[in-house]
Amino acid sequence: MDGMALALSEAEKALQEGEIPVGAVLVRGDEVLWADHNRREQAMDPTAHAEMLCLRHGAVRKGDWRLSDCTLYVTLEPCPMCAGALAMSRLGRVVFGASDPEKGCCGSVYDLPADPAFAADTRWTAGVREAECRALLETFFRSRRSHTQAKDPV
């Protein structure tokens, strides 16, 4: 099972729905507990990030909020909210594609899982299929810029 391939598939769905194309998949061993993508716009929910949805629904499916035996694959480095949720869920590992130099909290701006104040044991791996993950984000933001420029009078 290729967790990042599944996460990329979810990110593609987000792109088609007009959401920022971030996809995530929570797995335990070879079992997919949950796969999802950003749904902030459609849900009108600022917490409806792909990671949060996977943690929330995956924990229910597992029957335990403690996710120390799970891995989360996500196409973009988790933000502060998501990195905090990873730590609080005791997630065993997060694997992400593109780093986020503006809001990333698994090594870019901050390394929340490594902060001893949180006593989190979440390990992370960066840069998995990074070019593909970044290309989806660039496509989305390029499209947004071209739509905004087309609407602005010159």
Side-chain angles (χ1 to χ4, degrees):
M1 190 238 346
D2 184 348
M4 191 56 79
L6 294 172
L8 279 161
S9 176
E10 287 293 329
E12 288 276 358
K13 292 176 189 176
L15 182 65
Q16 298 305 315
E17 295 171 10
E19 298 276 357
I20 295 175
V22 176
V25 179
L26 182 67
V27 301
R28 180 176 59 181
D30 288 333
E31 177 188 11
V32 173
L33 294 174
W34 199 263
D36 221 321
H37 54 276
N38 277 4
R39 296 180 184 273
R40 290 189 315 170
E41 299 300 327
Q42 61 186 284
M44 294 193 287
D45 178 355
T47 70
H49 289 201
E51 302 96 306
M52 299 295 285
L53 296 169
C54 282
L55 294 176
R56 188 176 300 137
H57 295 289
V60 170
R61 184 150 184 220
K62 181 182 176 200
D64 189 354
W65 63 267
R66 295 167 194 86
L67 303 175
S68 59
D69 58 345
C70 297
T71 299
L72 181 74
Y73 294 88
V74 61
T75 57
L76 181 65
E77 180 179 1
C79 71
M81 173 182 68
C82 294
L86 300 177
M88 295 295 101
S89 71
R90 301 182 185 165
L91 183 73
R93 183 172 176 226
V94 62
V95 176
F96 63 89
S99 295
D100 183 349
E102 294 179 14
K103 297 180 186 81
C105 282
C106 286
S108 288
V109 174
Y110 184 63
D111 191 355
L112 195 146
D115 190 320
F118 295 103
D121 291 327
T122 301
R123 298 174 316 280
W124 55 263
T125 302
V128 176
R129 298 180 74 166
E130 181 174 8
E132 294 167 81
C133 296
R134 186 157 312 285
L136 281 173
L137 291 161
E138 288 171 353
T139 297
F140 175 79
F141 287 110
R142 190 171 31 254
S143 172
R144 293 276 299 253
R145 282 191 295 274
S146 68
H147 282 88
T148 302
Q149 290 171 351
K151 292 178 184 177
D152 290 340
V154 177

